[in-house]
Amino acid sequence: MGKLSLPACRPGMTATCTVTCTAAVQGRALQRACGDCCNLPPSRSPVCTRRGSGIPIGDTSKNAMQFPIVQKLKLIVLCLLAEGIYYILALVPVVPFTLLSAIFYPPTTALLIGATLFLVVVWAIQPDPIDDRDAITVAPGSVLHQWVHALSAAVDGGRIHRIVLTDEVNASAYVSPGFMGLGARRTLRIGLPLLQCLSSHEVKAVVAHELGHFSRQHNRAGHWVYRVRYKWGIYLLAHRSDADGFIQSAQKLVARWFIPYFLRQSSAWSHQCEYEADACAQRAGLAGSLIDALVKVELHQHIEQHVMQQDWVQWKLQSDSPPPNILETTLEHIQRYAAPAFAPMLAAAQARPTRLYDTHPRLQQRADHLCVTIEPPQWHGVCAGAEAFPNDWASIFQAHQAAWVGKHRDAWYFAHYRLRWLQAQADAHPNDVALQAVAMASLSTSTTAVDALRALVADHPANAYLNYELGCALLDNDDEDGIDHLQAAVRLNKKMAVPALRRISEYRLQSDCAQAIERSIRKLDAALRWTAAFFDRDLWSRFANEPLEPLPAAARGLFRDAVRANPRIDGCWVGSLPSRSIDGHQFKINLVVFRMDGSGELSPYHTEERMKAHMAHLLETVTRPDELTCVKAVFYTEPLNPRLLQNINKYPEVCIAQPLGAVNQNVIRIDVL
């Protein structure tokens, strides 16, 4: 039984994001610190006073902004309560086992067995909020180490035991306790993207801020609060399932009742910690550079998500994998769009609604607290990475860029085939106004195209597919009206419930309303249970005996291109059947069978479950949202049902890729030995 972990979440550039991914996003948001770069202009004073107060902003004494003692005590009590519930739930399977052990062993031995089992259960179910497995440890003696040591002395940040480079547009600092809480080690995490897009002054400001958390002794208490937020936040966002055991069900139930209140209380304390850490950066004379860094990070995210949409579409249409120089190209585009996007970014940052998982004050609030004027960023000079690693930066950055491409290859791959599918549909049906509008809204991503789709929906309000596509397009642009259209799509065609409610759930997770989050997840859970009932036990038997409908020609061609590119697949068939009817509803189910090579060592990307999910997601990109998909994998060493082979051979278009190897020859049936 291994420790619970979550996959890294995809950035905003990807087409879709699952609820599980959103849980990981929440974990990242809780880790988020700050970052960005620029020279400190002489006009910006590193120490200033509030108008009329006479108190230096850099002063971190009790006269500065403080989190009230009463609220601190309340937060500690809430943390203890949350942790207590967690450990009580972990005790549930331990107590009966300990009592059973007492029947066969002396009481002391039974208690020892119970205590050991309790520690194992706690370790197994405890999420690890910080995963540094892919981080690069910086060797001592680097220029970056020199910066950190000098800044640590300036802000009284203490000794830093380890510096690591990550792939996040982020920086953070944390304390990892040693065995039995002894020998704690301080780690500073710096994102390679920050070293790429910030200047040395800005990175130093970010580092000074992070070291300020150590200086202000936020580390142990803050990390404790953060861990509680993270692990309970996972259960708040998780789906309920019939496969959940008692502990998982209880954790999810408690999380949805109790944790939203705790998150709001801890967010207020986290905001105060950020102000105090900002003041430490100001004490080091880097207040202006810190705000410049934050501006660049906000601008970076804003441009990627809202300005570069058409660029992403063009790049994804051109290839099913990201260009090898994607990060360099992205930064060039961000610098090109920075000037016109600056004012819209500030307006969007100011208007951004409060979210349940917010841990940082808004950009303007932090600038006001430091008495620093927000100005357009400057992009001149060499990047901080080239100065921090004068001899190794090129190789470090190229390795980071290659890792980024590998990490986001799947999301890019699915987006590529989805866009090609929409383009093929539009080309094949030039007179279909609805298809043209849907394709243009996704392919052009312009406001005009979305407005045209909105007008078409107004003319055809009873069209569920148009409502669904408009709802998705509006939510992609952070327009909450998209929820109304997705709900309308479900009312008009219940078979669209799962994809529509999934999009609503993903959007709701960004809000501050725990009730809305809970309601959206509950509805999605119900829709998933409803659709699962249509996959009856006789489905595969019917696939081997009943007439099959092939995919449409365009979808078949795209699916064939994708399958042929995978060297692990030898043979693939896709046929469609109508599901059984339940309460007057009947789905079209697309069934996929593919043979895979299981010889040799399988990478994490080529396990059976991973490849089945990959094939299902791929097929969903070239089919309608009111259809279902079911996938079966067969290894070379497994037999294919002769009746299935006979049936699929009756319908040649069902075959996506002919097997190159022999079928049902030299096969060993393990189950008959």
Side-chain angles (χ1 to χ4, degrees), residues 360-634:
H360 286 56
R362 293 179 179 177
L363 173 63
Q364 188 63 57
Q365 292 173 318
R366 297 176 74 171
D368 290 345
H369 183 248
L370 294 174
C371 287
V372 172
T373 302
I374 296 177
E375 296 178 355
Q378 303 297 317
W379 302 92
H380 60 268
V382 297
C383 69
E387 293 189 48
F389 304 97
N391 300 320
D392 304 319
W393 174 245
S395 60
I396 290 174
F397 179 72
Q398 289 304 319
H400 162 61
Q401 190 161 231
W404 190 99
V405 170
K407 183 177 179 180
H408 298 93
R409 182 178 287 115
D410 279 359
W412 193 286
Y413 179 86
F414 296 134
H416 167 78
Y417 283 101
R418 177 62 179 172
L419 292 170
R420 281 183 58 184
W421 161 248
L422 289 170
Q423 192 173 58
Q425 290 285 87
D427 293 343
H429 305 88
N431 298 322
D432 191 320
V433 178
L435 277 178
Q436 295 296 321
V438 169
M440 284 301 297
S442 296
L443 293 170
S444 75
T445 69
S446 67
T447 304
T448 303
V450 175
D451 288 343
L453 182 56
R454 194 197 298 265
L456 192 61
V457 171
D459 292 337
H460 303 85
N463 189 309
Y465 179 64
L466 287 177
N467 272 281
Y468 172 81
E469 292 293 345
L470 176 59
C472 292
L474 291 175
L475 290 190
D476 286 341
N477 291 322
D478 289 330
D479 188 338
E480 196 165 343
D481 288 346
I483 292 177
D484 295 333
H485 290 283
L486 289 171
Q487 290 173 337
V490 176
R491 288 194 299 271
L492 294 166
N493 183 358
K494 191 179 178 181
K495 293 189 291 185
M496 288 189 177
V498 169
L501 293 174
R502 180 174 286 123
R503 292 303 302 268
I504 293 173
S505 180
E506 291 165 3
Y507 185 81
R508 288 294 194 198
L509 290 172
Q510 303 174 26
S511 71
D512 186 42
C513 181
Q515 289 77 17
I517 294 173
E518 153 70 14
R519 187 165 57 251
S520 65
I521 293 177
R522 188 175 66 249
K523 287 182 177 180
L524 178 56
D525 288 345
L528 289 168
R529 288 193 297 271
W530 178 67
T531 55
F534 290 88
F535 294 99
D536 58 274
R537 293 181 179 180
D538 298 331
L539 191 61
W540 289 112
S541 175
R542 293 177 56 207
F543 193 29
N545 293 281
E546 296 184 9
L548 302 175
E549 179 185 348
L551 290 174
R556 192 165 61 250
L558 291 173
F559 200 73
R560 181 178 294 114
D561 291 346
V563 167
R564 285 176 175 173
N566 193 324
R568 288 280 184 180
I569 295 178
D570 179 51
C572 180
W573 301 266
V574 182
S576 303
L577 285 172
S579 73
R580 60 175 177 166
S581 179
I582 301 177
D583 297 331
H585 295 283
Q586 191 175 39
F587 280 90
K588 177 181 179 180
I589 301 182
N590 301 298
L591 297 107
V592 184
V593 174
F594 70 96
R595 285 213 314 169
M596 64 177 291
D597 182 2
S599 61
E601 183 178 354
L602 295 179
S603 71
Y605 297 99
H606 292 108
T607 62
E608 180 181 0
E609 290 305 314
R610 181 70 179 263
M611 289 187 67
K612 285 171 64 177
H614 183 91
M615 296 290 278
H617 195 164
L618 175 62
L619 188 57
E620 288 166 2
T621 64
V622 294
T623 53
R624 289 176 60 89
D626 58 352
E627 298 176 12
L628 299 179
T629 298
C630 190
V631 182
K632 182 177 180 64
V634 179

Side-chain angles (χ1 to χ4, degrees), residues 15-219:
T16 60
C17 184
T18 66
V19 173
T20 302
C21 262
T22 310
V25 169
Q26 174 256 330
R28 282 185 187 218
L30 298 176
Q31 293 177 20
R32 195 182 73 187
C34 60
D36 260 302
C37 61
C38 204
N39 295 324
L40 179 65
S43 61
R44 299 191 191 179
S45 172
V47 177
C48 62
T49 58
R50 286 188 184 279
R51 185 175 301 171
S53 70
I55 301 172
I57 299 303
D59 182 10
T60 56
S61 68
K62 65 181 181 180
N63 293 322
M65 293 182 64
Q66 292 292 320
F67 191 72
I69 295 295
V70 174
Q71 286 186 268
K72 282 186 180 180
L73 292 174
K74 183 189 295 184
L75 182 58
I76 291 172
V77 170
L78 288 172
C79 266
L80 289 171
L81 180 59
E83 287 287 69
I85 295 171
Y86 202 87
Y87 289 119
I88 288 171
L89 292 174
L91 272 173
V92 171
V94 174
V95 171
F97 189 84
T98 304
L99 294 175
L100 185 63
S101 299
I103 299 175
F104 302 99
Y105 300 101
T108 304
T109 304
L111 287 174
L112 181 61
I113 292 173
T116 303
L117 180 61
F118 173 71
L119 293 176
V120 170
V121 171
V122 168
W123 179 86
I125 66 175
Q126 181 100 322
D128 188 357
I130 297 175
D131 185 356
D132 279 342
R133 286 176 297 181
D134 297 328
I136 303 170
T137 301
V138 181
S142 69
V143 174
L144 181 59
H145 271 87
Q146 296 173 18
W147 294 354
V148 172
H149 293 324
L151 288 166
S152 184
V155 302
D156 192 23
R159 181 186 176 189
I160 305 301
H161 299 90
R162 193 167 70 117
I163 303 173
V164 298
L165 304 179
T166 71
D167 62 355
E168 300 171 336
V169 189
N170 184 21
S172 61
Y174 69 94
V175 174
S176 51
F179 181 71
M180 299 298 291
L182 303 175
R185 293 174 59 82
R186 292 178 172 183
T187 299
L188 177 65
R189 305 170 82 244
I190 301 175
L192 271 159
L194 296 183
L195 295 174
Q196 178 202 10
C197 68
L198 305 186
S199 72
S200 57
H201 283 288
E202 293 162 340
V203 167
K204 288 176 182 178
V206 172
V207 170
H209 168 94
E210 297 304 333
L211 295 175
H213 287 297
F214 292 136
S215 175
R216 297 296 298 162
Q217 299 181 355
H218 300 151
N219 39 31

Side-chain angles (χ1 to χ4, degrees), residues 542-548 642-651:
R542 293 177 56 207
F543 193 29
N545 293 281
E546 296 184 9
L548 302 175
R643 188 173 295 174
L644 171 65
L645 287 172
Q646 184 180 5
N647 195 44
I648 60 181
N649 286 334
K650 294 180 182 178
Y651 310 96

Side-chain angles (χ1 to χ4, degrees), residues 253-321:
L253 193 61
V254 170
R256 296 182 188 187
W257 284 350
F258 167 70
I259 294 305
Y261 178 71
F262 168 72
L263 290 176
R264 292 191 184 94
Q265 291 293 315
S266 57
S267 289
W269 181 77
S270 177
H271 284 200
Q272 176 58 27
C273 290
E274 294 307 315
Y275 286 130
E276 293 177 359
D278 286 352
C280 289
Q282 186 180 53
R283 196 167 68 218
L286 294 167
S289 293
L290 177 62
I291 297 303
D292 286 335
L294 294 174
V295 167
K296 280 190 176 177
V297 169
E298 286 272 4
L299 198 56
H300 191 289
Q301 295 173 345
H302 177 82
I303 292 174
E304 271 200 349
Q305 295 175 10
H306 301 290
V307 182
M308 289 181 59
Q309 291 173 318
Q310 191 57 41
D311 296 304
W312 294 125
V313 167
Q314 293 302 319
W315 294 340
K316 289 173 182 176
L317 273 172
Q318 290 169 7
S319 173
D320 63 357
S321 62

